[in-house]
Structures are given as structure tokens and as C-alpha cells.
Amino acid sequence: MPGGRCVFFLNTLIMFPGLPDRFQVIRLRWLSPVLRGPQPAGQGHSMPELTISLDGPEEELAILGSRDQLLRQVRDSLRVKVLARRGEIRVEGEPDLLEKTRLVFEEMRRLYRKQKALSPGDVAEVIDAIVGDGTEDVGGRLEIREGGRSIRARTDGQARYLNALRDFELVFAIGPAGTGKTYLAVAHAVWLLRRGQIKKIVLVRPAVEAGERLGFLPGDLEAKINPYLRPLFDALHDLMEFGQLRRYVDNDLVEIAPLAYMRGRTLNDAVIILDEAQNATIPQMKMFLTRMGQNARIVVTGDTTQVDLPQGTASGLADAVERLRGVPGIATVTLGKADIVRHPLVQAIVNAYEEPESGPSVHQVFAREPFQIPPAGGEGHAPA
């Protein structure tokens, strides 16, 4: 063959003697050029190379992903050239990028041996953990990169909240609905867990109905408490895939429990989040705050305007904020209407309920004598 060429027939590489060694790994380069990445003009094959050997076809399929999806994800994130052939991955790039790529593939293989499956979210977390610490300060605001997503403060109040979560071991977050109190706390906890800074997340909520009495709930214990804890599951589902969350729960990395079950426990190496804390009584709040063990962080969130405790029962959230004011290591962040990031109508609704009533109230209107239906042929009139 002139020029030392090789010929493909039925997806099989026919090798010719005397070809340079670098042509021994070009099958996937020609069949799947997308794996190579962009070829800089005038650049030859003098860049450093790295070869990673995989253990069998099952690991190869898991590491490469369906249709090489995970391989392309690594290539695009680290800006290296990647070839996969016969149980080996060959990488070309700058020396510092090669080292990071090696660490990424090593961690992917470790995860595969542990959980027998890899998702794009898993790979994104590995890359974030190795390439960077997963946070950056954007315009003075902390940003969390988690699960392939970028979670950043959208208001000044949320920026103060994220900074407090980073810098303090006990944080109280008080504000109206829709300000991201629970979501940002859960996102920060997941970020700490995936980077090995803690070993567990414990999400806690008081089992208090919002002005209703639901009575007896059927099912086992998990089914009975699930309606109260559902908002915490919603935040977790938004941050990770369902299968991954199920593995975390099954392996006791994530625990969701009612407040009453926290008595007598000591939680080390954990983030403990108490949501809807305005519905905790003063004794319950004292019990919860004293669960903090070594290397533990506590986040307490709530809205003091939506207390569902029985009439005359003081809220433990307002009491704790007042008692612990000025204690070192404790931060209190107050969010306002300007920090609401849900649907725009939510802020209008909050404003409407906080404005002083003008004109007759709803109760006064319905207390009036009803409109009288006149007899046939007469004219109706409303009572004066």
C-alpha cells in the first residue's frame, strides 16, 4: 500500500507490517472520530500519552458508557484526546491534564467496583471533585457545582445564606416560603457528602399537620411519616437521580426522620437539617440542637409566620434564635420577600397576606344578611 495505509473491512482493522507503532491504535479514531476531540492545526503525535487498562468487558462497558457517552463526557470536560480499544483507554494531552484524567478514571473504576453502575451524574461529581473543589466565588457569591448543575445564590440574602453554610457549624435560616431555605441547605449537604467531608446527611421535620387533622394513616411507619417528609425528598430528587438517591438511602448515607425520633442520638460526621422548625416546641428544639457530635453541622430552617402548633404553644425556632444570639460559631440568616425565587405570584401572595386589611374583612362580608329573593313581579333589594 502506498504511503503506509491500512484498510477497514467489516469493522476489522487489517494491519500492515512496518507501520509505526502509533498506527496500532487508530481503529476507533477512524470509526468513531468523535472520541478524538478537535485536532489542533499542525500538531503531530508528540504529545504525552497515558494508557489505562480495564478489567474485562463488563468494566469496559461501564466506564465507557452506552455508546461511549461517559468517555466523551471525560474528554470534553478535561479537553484531552481519548481512544478506547480492546480493553484499553489511551489518552493524549498536557501532562497536568493527563494526571487529572488518570485520577478521574481511577475514581470511576472504584465507583464501578462499589456500585456496579455509573451514571453521567456520577462522572460529573468525580470530575468536579478532582478538577476543582466544586465551589467558586462568583461576584462575591458562593456557587456550588453539584450533579452536573451549578447552584448559585440568586439574591443577596441567598448569598449570605450560602456563605453562612460554608463558614458556620450551626445556621438558623428564617424566611417566607420560596426563599430556598431548604433547597440550598440540602444542596450544600450533598456537596459535602460527595466530597468526603461528612459521612451522612440527616433530614428532620416535625410531624405536624398544617391546620388539619389527618387522623389515622394506613401503612407501615415509612408510609405514615412520608407525607410529612415529602418536601425533603423533593429537594433530593432535584439534586440526584432516583437510583442514586435510593442507593444513598439504602446505604444509610441519607436518613430522613421525624423530629420525635432524634432523642438519645449523637450524630458525628454529619449534616443535620431541621426543616419547618417553627413547628418544633422549645423542649424539642433543645433536644435537637444537642444531637450535634464531632465534625457535625446543623442547619435549622423555618418561617415564623406559619406556625402550626396548638394555640398557646411557643415556637422553639424563635426561642432558640433569641437565646443563642451572639454565641460564637452560630449564624442567623433572615431572608425576606425580596429573596423569594419561586413563581412570581408567590411574592405577590406573601405581600397580600402581610398588608394591613383595608375595607370590610371576609368575615364581615359573610356575616351580613344574605340577599333576599323578591316575590314574582317585585324588585330585589339588599338589606341596608
Side-chain angles (χ1 to χ4, degrees):
M1 286 282 180
R5 295 183 180 179
C6 54
V7 179
F8 287 96
F9 180 70
L10 295 179
N11 197 26
T12 302
L13 177 63
I14 302 176
M15 307 300 298
F16 292 88
L19 289 177
D21 290 341
R22 64 176 179 267
F23 288 107
Q24 307 300 313
V25 291
I26 63 173
R27 180 173 66 89
L28 284 182
R29 174 191 172 190
W30 286 22
L31 292 178
S32 302
V34 68
L35 297 182
R36 288 287 299 185
Q39 296 287 333
Q43 182 170 321
H45 291 270
S46 59
M47 297 185 69
E49 291 186 355
L50 167 70
T51 300
I52 300 169
S53 298
L54 303 175
D55 296 334
E58 292 184 358
E59 183 181 67
E60 182 177 3
L61 178 61
I63 298 300
L64 302 185
S66 176
R67 298 183 180 181
D68 300 320
Q69 177 186 12
L70 303 183
L71 196 63
R72 287 194 295 269
Q73 185 176 354
V74 174
R75 181 206 69 185
D76 295 340
S77 298
L78 295 171
R79 299 185 181 91
V80 293
K81 303 171 187 175
V82 183
L83 294 172
R85 177 177 181 265
R86 296 181 184 176
E88 287 187 345
I89 299 174
R90 182 166 294 189
V91 187
E92 292 182 6
E94 299 297 332
D96 59 330
L97 295 179
L98 287 184
E99 176 62 17
K100 292 178 180 178
T101 305
R102 181 185 67 81
L103 294 174
V104 167
F105 279 117
E106 283 186 0
E107 181 62 16
M108 289 171 63
R109 296 179 71 190
R110 187 191 70 80
L111 282 178
Y112 164 72
R113 296 188 188 105
K114 180 179 180 181
Q115 61 193 36
K116 298 301 180 184
L118 288 175
S119 69
D122 293 327
V123 176
E125 294 156 19
V126 170
I127 293 172
D128 282 347
I130 292 174
V131 176
D133 66 354
T135 66
E136 60 183 58
D137 206 325
V138 181
R141 295 183 177 183
L142 185 67
E143 177 179 327
I144 299 175
R145 296 189 298 271
E146 186 52 60
R149 304 180 54 186
S150 179
I151 302 168
R152 68 183 66 185
R154 295 170 59 181
T155 68
D156 290 338
Q158 287 189 347
R160 288 186 285 105
Y161 184 28
L162 278 178
N163 289 332
L165 292 174
R166 177 191 61 188
D167 299 334
F168 292 87
E169 295 179 336
L170 174 56
V171 177
F172 291 96
I174 301 174
T179 51
K181 304 183 300 295
T182 302
Y183 186 85
L184 292 178
V186 172
H188 187 258
V190 172
W191 176 77
L192 291 174
L193 177 67
R194 285 173 167 165
R195 280 147 189 83
Q197 298 185 33
I198 59 169
K199 297 179 180 178
K200 186 172 185 175
I201 299 173
V202 182
L203 305 174
V204 184
R205 221 168 186 251
V208 177
E209 296 98 339
E212 301 179 64
R213 292 295 177 266
L214 300 180
F216 173 78
L217 295 176
D220 58 13
L221 177 62
E222 182 177 355
K224 292 178 187 295
I225 65 175
N226 185 64
Y228 301 102
L229 306 179
R230 188 72 229 177
L232 299 176
F233 276 112
D234 292 341
L236 286 170
H237 279 305
D238 198 48
L239 292 166
M240 62 181 74
E241 297 174 357
F242 176 80
Q244 187 177 52
L245 175 57
R246 176 51 56 188
R247 289 195 300 272
Y248 277 31
V249 173
D250 291 343
N251 295 328
D252 204 30
L253 297 176
V254 173
E255 177 187 351
I256 303 180
L259 178 59
Y261 286 22
M262 299 301 294
R263 186 175 298 279
R265 303 183 61 181
T266 300
L267 297 167
N268 301 310
D269 301 306
V271 170
I272 312 107
I273 300 173
L274 175 59
D275 190 36
E276 297 292 336
Q278 75 275 5
N279 291 327
T281 64
I282 294 176
Q284 285 178 325
M285 182 62 71
K286 177 185 176 182
M287 177 271 294
F288 173 78
L289 295 177
T290 54
R291 302 306 97 197
M292 179 184 282
Q294 297 297 321
N295 190 36
R297 292 170 175 259
I298 286 181
V299 184
V300 180
T301 69
D303 180 359
T304 53
T305 67
Q306 297 190 34
V307 178
D308 300 310
L309 293 170
Q311 188 72 23
T313 303
S315 171
L317 175 59
D319 178 80
V321 169
E322 185 61 32
R323 286 175 184 268
L324 301 176
R325 191 183 305 276
V327 176
I330 299 177
T332 300
V333 179
T334 302
L335 303 173
K337 292 178 289 185
D339 300 305
I340 295 176
V341 293
R342 285 184 187 166
H343 193 284
L345 281 178
V346 174
Q347 186 165 354
I349 292 169
V350 171
N351 289 337
Y353 274 89
E354 290 185 354
E355 290 175 356
E357 295 181 354
S358 58
S361 69
V362 174
H363 300 288
Q364 292 171 334
V365 170
F366 280 96
R368 291 176 177 176
E369 186 177 348
F371 181 83
Q372 297 180 1
I373 300 177
E379 294 184 359
H381 69 280

